[in-house]
Each structure stands twice: as structure tokens, then as C-alpha cells.
Amino acid sequence: MTDLMPQSAPAAAPAKRWVYVIPVAAVMYMLAYLDRNNVSVILPYMHGDLELSNADKGLVGGVFFIGYVFLQIPAAILAQRWSARKTVLLLMVAWGLAAALSGLVQTKSQFYAARFVLGFFEGGVWPAVLILLASWFPLRERARANALWMACLPLSSVLMAPLSGWMLDHAGWRWVLVLQGLPPLVWAVVWWFAVADRPAQARWISRAEADHLERSIAADEAAKPSAGSGSYRDAVRQKPVLVLIGVYFFWITGFYGFNLWLPSVIKELTHDGSSTEVGLLTAIPFTVALAVMIANAVWSDRTGRRHRAVAVPLVVGIAALLLGQAVDGALPRMVLLCLTAAAVYAPYGPFWAIPGELLRFEVVAVAMGLINALGNLGGFAGPYLVGWLTDTTGSSASTQPVRRPAGQATEGVS
């Protein structure tokens, strides 16, 4: 036991990772998620600008994900072979400019194109950061590291939905898009000086701490099974990887369908409330999601039950959406919206820890890029399907936990 003490003692020392790497990455992606999702708050208040139908609004949300798939694998390979830090920096500057310019569009087609370009540049960030985290956090910490970074997703909605609502009350939607596209350009400077690709390159960590981390991660790699010949093709053809792609596609279909249309549904529950009121209420489900997301990741790391930590929340989310069709009253519906939000966010940390347990570092980048690329096509399917169904049925009840008397038009999304 005494022989183990010198190696186990430094385990608590590299805690700076949680202060330097995670918050800087979380703020970075929170800004990306803001530029991706601010359109959901804006759409109910465009008041006929660009003449968008509900299906068009769904396409505005969905076309982002057509562009999103292109850089998934190239960015993952660049992050692995070149530099995750530099890859994210270049993409951050490009998406910030694209987000700001999207406020200058004059036609529906230009809006589609702007959202496509934004998705194109944002697409490579997710796998690049996952590669970065794999160089800083051993597998036993991976779900927590993923969840704390990915907590930026609900946190962005908690903080930014009210901000977007307040900005809409004081400025037009174009100014909201322009102004919210500028922070990534500023944060790129922070990213460059605060983040390193691996512990040995960081100026704020001792050599002993860096060696401890590298030994832990090397031990994780040595314990993994080989992927056939070790080629990318062998890695992505493994059955577990194909299953993860399918699960992620259907999960993300519901995830972004829910996220894009949540402010419109809440606007309806408030009987056409102000944008500030809708923004504040929209933050409530995401606050619940944030707490559940982190708790589920901690449980996953402690027990190692990754699959259960993914499957159970998704089943709960399905049940909450179905139950919403039989419930009346604003408060019960709001409770179900909170439950659904918690369910669709909770699997993130455990889910993205699974590829790192299955595949060695030299091939996991491509596998994660492929999972995210094909899975996020559900981000196109979900918002567009909701918009199309709303136009077809005249009601959002068919896809969200909200009901209305037959024939009543949908408010706030037309």
C-alpha cells in the first residue's frame, strides 16, 4: 500500500484542469450554442419579416445541421494530428463572423444560406473539444468532464434566452444576431492564451502533475482492445459505433425539435407574453436540465453504467412528451417541459464517454466525428418536422406537450 502512495498522492494535484480547461471550453461553446439557438427565441417575434411559414422556420433551424456535418471528421483529424487548440481557434473566429453577418440578410434564401454557413464553421468544434478533453481527463473522469463542458448547452439557454428576450424588447432581431455574433471574436483571445493541447504544453501545471496525467491516460489506452488493423475504417465499422450513430440520430431529432420550438410553446402558454417574459420562463426547463445533466454524469462515473445513464433519461423523455398530450393546464405542461428538458440533456456526459472506452485514441477522433456528423442530421429532421406538422395540423400539440381546442391556430409561430 505504501508503494502506491507516491503515485496516488498527486491525483488531487492536477485539479487546475477543472478550473482552466473546462470553464474556458464551456464559455467558448456556450457562445457557439447561443449563436445556434438564439434563432429559436427570435422566430416568434419576426412579425412576418422574410415571410417565413412555420415549415420555413423549421428549415431555418434545420439547415444549420446540413452545414454542420461537413467539418466533423476533418476537424477531428486536425485536432488529433495537428492541434485541437488551433483548430477550435480558427473555427471560433469564422463562426463569430458568420453569426454577426446573419443579421444582415434581406431574403429567406439569404437567411437559409447564413444558417448553413454558421453550421459549417461550428460543426468541427464539438469533436475537436472532445479530443482535447481526452488528452486532459482519464476515463474514470471522462463523463464528468464531458458533462461539465457540455453544461454550457443548458446554461447557455438559462442565461441567454432571457438576454435575447430583453434585447428583442429593446432592439430588432437583426441587431440581436449581429451583437451576439461578436463575443466569440473576443473569447478567441482568451482561448489562445488559456488552453493547451496536452498537459505537457500547459504553463500553469507542474511537470510532475503533467506526468501523472499522461501516465493515467496512457494506462487507459493500453487497456483498450485494438480495433482490427487499427484503421479508421475498422473503427467506424464496429457494431457499437453504428449503434451509437443510430441512437444519437433519433435522440438529436427530438432534442433540437424540442429546443427550437420551446420558446414558441411557452409563448403560447403565457397567452402571447412579452419576449422578456418568454425568455425568463424558457430558462426554467434548462435550469432543471443543467442540474440533472451533471448529477447523471457523476452517477455514471461512479458506477460505470454508461448505457443505463443514457437509456433511462431518453425513455423518460419519450414518456413526458406522450403524457403531455393528455394533460391540461399551464403548470402541468410546464412541469412536463422541465422533465423533457432534463431527459434530453442528461445523457450527454455518459454518451460521449462511451466512444473513448471502446476505441483507442488514434482512431476515436474519426469515430466521434462520424457519430456527431450523422447523428446531428437529426438536428435538421427535428425542427423541420415540427414546423411541417404545425403547418399541417394547425397545432403544436402533435409534437410538443401542449394541447389546444381543435381548429385553433398556433400563436407565436406564424
Side-chain angles (χ1 to χ4, degrees):
M1 181 66 69
T2 55
D3 291 339
L4 295 177
M5 289 302 293
Q7 291 186 7
S8 59
K16 287 183 179 179
R17 298 169 295 146
W18 302 92
V19 177
Y20 279 79
V21 179
I22 296 293
V24 174
V27 172
M28 178 275 298
Y29 208 75
M30 185 169 68
L31 297 175
Y33 202 66
L34 167 65
D35 289 331
R36 179 185 313 182
N37 270 20
N38 54 12
V39 70
S40 68
V41 179
I42 289 169
L43 285 176
Y45 297 94
M46 291 183 70
H47 304 301
D49 290 356
L50 307 185
E51 299 180 351
L52 299 174
S53 67
N54 287 317
D56 292 333
K57 291 176 181 180
L59 189 56
V60 166
V63 73
F64 172 96
F65 293 96
I66 301 299
Y68 192 82
V69 303
F70 285 94
L71 291 184
Q72 291 288 317
I73 293 177
I77 294 174
L78 276 177
Q80 178 199 346
R81 296 186 177 180
W82 179 48
S83 167
R85 172 180 174 241
K86 294 176 182 177
T87 300
V88 172
L89 178 76
L90 294 174
L91 293 172
M92 200 184 320
V93 172
W95 105 59
L97 292 173
L101 292 174
S102 67
L104 306 180
V105 299
Q106 299 298 319
T107 67
K108 180 166 58 177
S109 297
Q110 291 175 1
F111 204 14
Y112 292 155
R115 294 289 296 175
F116 175 89
V117 171
L118 180 62
F120 180 84
F121 288 123
E122 280 193 20
V125 176
W126 185 271
V129 175
L130 286 171
I131 295 300
L132 179 74
L133 295 183
S135 299
W136 278 96
F137 297 92
L139 285 174
R140 66 178 182 274
E141 301 172 338
R142 195 71 54 79
R144 280 170 289 168
N146 288 345
L148 286 173
W149 164 53
M150 297 172 191
C152 64
L153 304 184
L155 186 60
S156 175
S157 297
V158 169
L159 298 177
M160 301 307 182
L163 174 63
S164 295
W166 178 82
M167 291 177 70
L168 279 169
D169 278 341
H170 295 83
W173 62 268
R174 295 182 184 278
W175 275 110
V176 173
L177 293 177
V178 171
L179 293 176
Q180 291 184 354
L182 300 180
L185 304 179
V186 176
W187 198 251
V189 179
V190 178
W191 174 270
W192 178 253
F193 287 104
V195 173
D197 280 306
R198 52 188 58 87
Q201 298 174 348
R203 286 172 283 187
W204 42 263
I205 192 172
S206 70
R207 183 64 198 175
E209 294 168 348
D211 288 344
H212 166 76
L213 286 175
E214 291 178 354
R215 284 196 304 268
S216 298
I217 293 171
D220 287 340
E221 290 298 307
K224 293 178 186 178
S226 61
S229 65
S231 68
Y232 291 148
R233 179 177 296 180
D234 282 343
V236 301
R237 290 174 64 183
Q238 289 193 46
K239 183 179 179 181
V241 174
L242 299 177
V243 170
L244 288 174
I245 292 172
V247 169
Y248 201 52
F249 174 84
F250 289 107
W251 168 19
I252 293 300
T253 297
F255 177 89
Y256 280 109
F258 173 82
N259 273 269
L260 180 70
W261 291 97
L262 178 61
S264 295
V265 173
I266 289 181
K267 185 175 184 235
E268 180 183 320
L269 292 180
T270 62
H271 303 292
D272 221 16
S274 71
S275 55
T276 299
E277 180 184 7
V278 171
L280 289 170
L281 289 174
T282 298
I284 295 175
F286 295 114
T287 303
V288 176
L290 176 62
V292 174
M293 181 180 182
I294 294 174
N296 190 47
V298 171
W299 180 84
S300 170
D301 272 345
R302 287 178 177 173
T303 64
R305 297 175 178 175
R306 309 289 196 204
H307 295 81
R308 187 175 300 181
V310 173
V312 172
L314 295 181
V315 171
V316 170
I318 294 170
L321 286 171
L322 294 176
L323 184 60
Q325 312 310 312
V327 170
D328 292 313
L331 181 59
R333 294 170 186 168
M334 190 67 181
V335 170
L336 287 170
L337 287 172
C338 290
L339 185 59
T340 304
V344 298
Y345 278 95
Y348 263 110
F351 181 89
W352 284 109
I354 293 173
E357 292 178 341
L358 296 174
L359 301 171
R360 300 179 68 86
F361 184 77
E362 59 267 22
V363 294
V364 74
V366 169
M368 288 194 296
L370 185 65
I371 292 168
N372 202 42
L374 299 183
N376 266 285
L377 289 176
F380 171 80
Y384 182 72
L385 180 62
V386 173
W388 178 80
L389 285 171
T390 302
D391 275 338
T392 302
T393 65
S395 169
S396 61
S398 57
T399 50
Q400 293 289 353
V402 179
R403 298 201 314 162
R404 233 179 337 275
Q408 183 175 338
T410 301
E411 297 177 1
V413 291
S414 58

